[in-house]
Amino acid sequence: MTVLPYEADIRRNNPLEKRIVLPVNAFLVEHPDHGNILIDTGWASNVNDILPKYLKHFYRPQITPGQTAKEQLAAKGLRPEDIDVVLLTHLDIDHTCALKDFAGKAKRIVCAELEYFYSPRYVYKIRQVWDTWIPYIKTEDRIHYRSSTLGPVGRGFDLFGDDSVLCIYTPGHTDGNFIVMINKSPSDRFKHHGDGDVGSSFAVIAGDAAFSETNLNEHIVPGYGFNRKLQLKSVEFLADLRKSSYCCGMFFSHSSPDRTGMFF
């Protein structure tokens, strides 16, 4: 995908004049208790048939054989039926494009109720292609955010109710966007994070709350977003998480990962 990541570029008169190439990542978590969790779906093989003309010009997607999530999972010996949860951090097209490969096959599809609520409204229709997720809405598990001491605005949900996979509300990029914290063992982070850095080792899938380490290190708000102040709060929250001695890794949807696998 080619898109501008930095706020400074967005403020120019014609931001699409200067482009960089960014990856579009999906992430597989092989959880010992809850099975295979796919976080976002990335581009589909027929992405250029799905995107409307203006989004083709914006994204200019490039995908070659073997690069879709379905194909990469097949290379690991996994079928869509082997995915226990498809977790959608938000409903932008580069995160939902290949949902069709998993809908009706994966055991569960999850997104935030708040993201669903705003997506058919407001300005998200500009960059979200409803045909990638609306047909499957009856099979999607839409979860409400709850109060928490963890996160830039203190809201999120515990995916399995056992503190192993926490979806932390990080608004700004979209109104319902979340990041995913995977805990090695129970930590009660939702309840007691305000008392200090509680618990065990964790990894974070940062999604689009930040595009890269640069956003964290320089406190640069990534584009595009709809609330710059909330985006900055989310970036600052991620930067604090990254500094934790318990943080084993942080992975971004539009940054080349340092490694293809991590065990902890």
Side-chain angles (χ1 to χ4, degrees):
M1 166 176 90
T2 56
V3 66
L4 294 169
Y6 299 127
E7 182 177 21
D9 294 316
I10 294 171
R11 290 177 174 174
R12 294 173 182 166
N13 291 331
N14 189 357
L16 297 184
E17 285 183 352
K18 181 183 178 183
R19 289 179 172 269
I20 62 172
V21 177
L22 298 175
V24 175
N25 297 321
F27 300 92
L28 174 67
V29 176
E30 296 173 297
H31 196 281
D33 298 320
H34 301 296
N36 297 313
I37 306 168
L38 181 67
I39 301 175
D40 296 324
T41 68
W43 292 133
S45 57
N46 64 336
V47 56
N48 283 297
D49 298 326
I50 295 173
L51 289 180
K53 185 177 180 179
Y54 70 92
L55 285 181
K56 282 185 189 179
H57 176 66
F58 177 75
Y59 287 115
R60 297 186 187 178
Q62 304 171 30
I63 190 160
T64 58
Q67 287 187 327
T68 67
K70 180 181 178 180
E71 291 169 319
Q72 292 191 59
L73 288 169
K76 291 175 60 66
L78 294 173
R79 307 164 302 158
E81 291 84 355
D82 297 320
I83 300 301
D84 293 279
V85 181
V86 176
L87 191 55
L88 300 173
T89 60
H90 60 295
L91 296 173
D92 279 356
I93 178 61
D94 51 320
H95 296 257
T96 64
C97 189
L99 184 59
K100 65 181 181 61
D101 291 336
F102 301 93
K105 300 174 183 176
K107 297 177 181 63
R108 187 183 180 196
I109 299 171
V110 175
C111 70
E113 172 65 31
L114 191 65
E115 179 75 2
Y116 163 74
F117 175 83
Y118 279 110
S119 291
R121 301 163 177 81
Y122 201 38
V123 295
Y124 298 119
K125 61 182 70 176
I126 295 171
R127 70 185 197 196
Q128 294 185 343
V129 179
W130 299 347
D131 287 348
T132 62
W133 58 270
I134 282 287
Y136 319 115
I137 200 65
K138 291 183 179 179
T139 64
E140 292 171 8
D141 184 1
R142 303 193 303 275
I143 301 179
H144 289 274
Y145 290 125
R146 299 179 182 275
S147 295
S148 165
T149 59
L150 184 61
V153 294
R155 295 177 72 191
F157 61 85
D158 185 337
L159 183 60
F160 300 108
D162 61 1
D163 199 54
S164 62
V165 180
L166 304 179
C167 299
I168 303 168
Y169 182 38
T170 49
H173 182 70
T174 66
D175 273 310
N177 186 75
F178 62 78
I179 67 168
V180 183
M181 173 184 280
I182 301 141
N183 289 314
K184 185 175 182 180
S185 59
S187 65
D188 282 336
R189 280 195 167 92
F190 263 24
K191 297 178 181 177
H192 303 300
H193 183 77
D195 298 328
D197 197 355
V198 179
S200 63
S201 300
F202 65 86
V204 172
I205 309 298
D208 281 1
F211 282 5
S212 70
E213 290 277 357
T214 301
N215 297 129
L216 275 54
N217 296 337
E218 301 180 18
H219 288 226
I220 296 174
V221 175
Y224 283 74
F226 291 103
N227 188 316
R228 312 305 282 172
K229 290 182 179 179
L230 285 176
Q231 276 190 288
L232 184 57
K233 286 189 70 172
S234 294
V235 166
E236 290 172 343
F237 171 71
L238 282 172
D240 287 341
L241 278 185
R242 191 71 181 89
K243 294 174 186 175
S244 169
S245 60
Y246 289 110
C247 184
C248 295
M250 186 170 289
F251 304 91
F252 308 89
S253 293
H254 303 301
S255 179
S256 297
D258 294 332
R259 48 200 165 182
T260 57
M262 183 182 74
F263 301 88
F264 77 105

